[in-house]
Amino acid sequence: MTEQGKKRSIFELTENPVDLILPRPLKSRGNRVHILALGDVGANVLLGLKTLGAGTVDTIGIYDINHQTALRYEAEMNQIGKADGGDSSLPTVEILQEGDLFSCDIFLFCASGGVPPIGEKGDVRMAQLEVNGKLAAYYGKKAEEAVFQGIFAVISDPVDPLCKRVMEAGHLKPAQVRGYGLGVMAMRARYFAQRDERFFPYLREGRAYGPHGKDLVIADSVREYDEALSEELTDLTVGANMKIRELGFKPFLAPAFSSAVLPVLATLRGEWHYSSVYMGNRNSGAFLGIRNRIHENRAEIEDLPLPEALYERIKKAYDALLQLK
């Protein structure tokens, strides 16, 4: 096979990767989901799970440092439903005490020390690493103290490095920690592809890889990969966040649903979706966004034959994640 036609595997990124086995099996129905912090993202994640989680989610526990906020959302969420009472399958929302946060099947970390204001330049996600990293580590330790056996889902930015801080601080199994940030990037790429015929292949056979930020990798096609078009589509996707901010708004609706609500439900249902999983061995590794699913109690990572140029872009993103502390 010529170098041009050479194909690579995502598992070449690391030697002797850990087996991503969950401490206990997931349930396809009747799950208890807990949400920490009801800011812009957390509140919309709650709304999405309340309205879309019937069957998969039985109870949603909420906790916010502002108890008035928790009281507000408990009341409003439990007033959503058919007024004739004909459908009782929507999840019930309950207010939690902090000590009960990890009595659940999946814990959603939506806490943030502050979102950069409108007009902030640069990578606004990475600007949150220092303060959110301390929060993530704190709750990682809380999970360890609670002997948590479920999934710790990181939704706050920057998703991928926060996952590692949670895992290390809480001594959690790599399979227990998952990041939810890549879904919206895949959907933003689809948004642009639907509007420019040059990118139409993405709609059929495109993929997203890597972090939810500047090192994102969008592939216009995994079969007939065009690097120039892929990099152009990547730039459009990465810049979409700032376009909304330039309009004077914080972009949290699409991330809440495309990165969190829908992928979290897909995770619980054992369906393919985008999220960040641990790629590495016990001594070195990073959380990398990729298409995956939970199957037979372990994370199954999509392993497509990757063109050499695409593999090298993914490796560059992975190596950058390894350098983050």
Side-chain angles (χ1 to χ4, degrees):
M1 180 176 288
T2 65
E3 183 68 16
Q4 184 176 2
K6 183 179 180 181
K7 300 293 183 180
R8 306 291 294 272
S9 165
I10 196 72
F11 293 109
E12 294 179 49
L13 291 174
T14 182
E15 295 181 354
N16 303 313
V18 296
D19 197 351
L20 298 176
I21 303 175
L22 292 170
R24 70 183 185 204
L26 284 181
K27 301 181 296 185
S28 61
R29 300 181 64 83
N31 286 281
R32 186 175 185 91
V33 179
H34 285 180
I35 301 175
L36 171 67
L38 300 170
D40 291 333
V41 171
N44 279 282
V45 170
L46 170 60
L47 176 62
L49 293 175
K50 169 70 180 184
T51 54
L52 301 175
T56 303
V57 178
D58 183 59
T59 307
I60 305 171
I62 57 174
Y63 179 81
D64 192 275
I65 193 170
N66 185 334
H67 189 58
Q68 297 297 106
T69 298
L71 288 171
R72 178 245 175 139
Y73 281 112
E74 184 278 331
E76 292 223 63
M77 292 300 113
N78 287 322
Q79 293 166 21
I80 292 175
K82 293 183 179 179
D84 61 5
D87 183 5
S88 60
S89 64
L90 296 183
T92 300
V93 176
E94 301 175 351
I95 297 175
L96 302 170
Q97 299 297 317
E98 188 175 24
D100 298 325
L101 277 172
F102 293 99
S103 300
C104 60
D105 298 294
I106 182 167
F107 169 79
L108 308 186
F109 177 82
C110 300
S112 176
V115 178
I118 301 298
E120 186 80 8
K121 302 298 183 182
D123 192 334
V124 295
R125 301 178 188 91
M126 292 307 297
Q128 297 170 272
L129 177 56
E130 182 175 356
V131 62
N132 288 355
K134 293 176 181 177
L135 283 170
Y138 172 81
Y139 283 101
K141 292 176 183 176
K142 288 291 185 183
E144 180 184 29
E145 292 169 6
V147 196
F148 184 50
Q149 297 294 296
I151 291 175
F152 192 122
V154 175
I155 295 170
S156 300
D157 282 328
V159 169
D160 309 273
L162 291 187
C163 284
K164 193 166 185 180
R165 294 200 181 186
V166 166
M167 183 184 75
E168 292 178 343
H171 298 97
L172 299 175
K173 293 182 181 298
Q176 282 184 267
V177 183
R178 303 172 68 82
Y180 290 87
L182 188 58
V184 72
M185 307 307 268
M187 278 304 303
R188 285 170 176 163
R190 179 170 288 273
Y191 172 86
F192 291 112
Q194 290 170 332
R195 287 156 176 77
D196 188 333
E197 64 181 11
R198 295 178 305 139
F199 303 133
F200 278 4
Y202 179 84
L203 302 176
R204 301 187 303 274
E205 53 203 37
R207 289 293 187 274
Y209 297 92
H212 176 215
K214 68 179 182 62
D215 289 323
L216 173 74
V217 175
I218 297 293
D220 74 315
S221 168
V222 290
R223 295 187 180 183
E224 299 293 333
Y225 177 68
D226 186 308
E227 184 151 22
L229 285 177
S230 294
E231 290 183 346
E232 183 179 348
L233 185 55
T234 299
D235 289 341
L236 287 170
T237 302
V238 172
N241 190 56
M242 295 305 298
K243 292 294 184 183
I244 302 299
R245 295 177 72 88
E246 288 168 5
L247 294 173
F249 302 96
K250 293 178 181 178
F252 54 80
L253 290 174
F257 281 82
S258 293
S259 283
V261 174
L262 297 172
V264 163
L265 291 174
T267 299
L268 296 172
R269 294 166 180 163
E271 300 169 350
W272 289 100
H273 66 280
Y274 282 108
S275 60
S276 296
V277 294
Y278 187 74
M279 299 282 293
N281 54 49
R282 297 192 178 279
N283 298 317
S284 176
F287 283 83
L288 182 75
I290 194 168
R291 196 163 177 264
N292 70 93
R293 65 173 178 172
I294 300 293
H295 181 62
E296 296 181 347
N297 204 42
R298 56 166 41 90
E300 179 183 354
I301 296 169
E302 184 180 64
D303 184 23
L304 298 174
L306 300 173
E308 181 76 19
L310 174 56
Y311 173 83
E312 289 300 327
R313 287 182 66 203
I314 299 170
K315 185 177 186 303
K316 181 179 178 181
Y318 177 75
D319 288 345
L321 288 167
L322 287 175
Q323 301 306 312
L324 293 175
K325 303 297 183 183

